[in-house]
Amino acid sequence: RINTGATGEAAAQGVLVLASDRTRHTGVAGSIALGGIAGVGAGIDVGVIVKHTHAWIAAGAQVQAQADVQVQAWSEERVVSVAAAGGGGLNVGIAGAVDVYVMTLDTQAWIAGAATVGGTAYSAASVAAGGSVQVAAEGHNEVDAISGSIAAGGTAGIGGAIAVPVV
């Protein structure tokens, strides 16, 4: 129970349920390989981000406000990943760079309906507002994946690079 049975509330009385998460990540991987006959280099940057950002009013809850009731979930992810490699040898130079990021992101806001938890039944949440009721969820994601390689050899230079963001 939130604000139920209270008296003399201010006209600006409101309820805010907020879940917020911000992630900033920078990953850098690299290598340089030089050899008399062959130089082999690899740079690999791999990351996994799993986030659940939830804001809710649960089943069975009773919420009242003279003004607004807000249920908000906000999530922001910013990833910068760099993978680079270089390889050089008198005969052969081989270099590879791999950049892989897997992001599982879940941002939700809700007011719950009826539910049964552990054998106990709860009615749907009750929300009464003198102003507005807002339920909002928003996520912002940005991934900058940079991958590159350079290879040189007297006979052959073999280089490759790949960047794979999975959101």
Side-chain angles (χ1 to χ4, degrees):
R1 295 181 190 267
I2 299 174
N3 298 334
T4 60
T7 58
E9 302 94 335
Q13 175 203 47
V15 173
L16 171 63
V17 178
L18 174 65
S20 177
D21 192 358
R22 178 182 290 168
T23 300
R24 300 273 191 260
H25 177 76
T26 301
V28 178
S31 72
I32 296 177
L34 303 172
I37 303 292
V40 179
I44 301 171
D45 185 25
V46 177
V48 176
I49 297 174
V50 178
K51 287 180 33 175
H52 303 285
T53 307
H54 297 165
W56 72 94
I57 295 175
Q62 296 178 4
V63 178
Q64 295 179 359
Q66 296 299 312
D68 300 333
V69 174
Q70 298 172 298
V71 181
Q72 301 175 346
W74 308 107
S75 180
E76 180 182 5
E77 296 74 37
R78 171 86 166 97
V79 174
V80 177
S81 176
V82 179
L90 293 176
N91 291 335
V92 178
I94 301 173
V98 178
D99 203 343
V100 178
Y101 266 81
V102 178
M103 298 169 65
T104 302
L105 309 170
D106 177 29
T107 305
Q108 298 182 37
W110 71 90
I111 297 174
T116 300
V117 179
T120 303
Y122 296 94
S123 61
S126 170
V127 176
S132 298
V133 174
Q134 177 197 41
V135 179
E138 185 174 341
H140 296 277
N141 313 308
E142 184 176 336
V143 179
D144 295 327
I146 303 160
S147 188
S149 68
I150 186 167
T155 304
I158 302 168
I162 186 168
V164 183
V166 179
V167 180

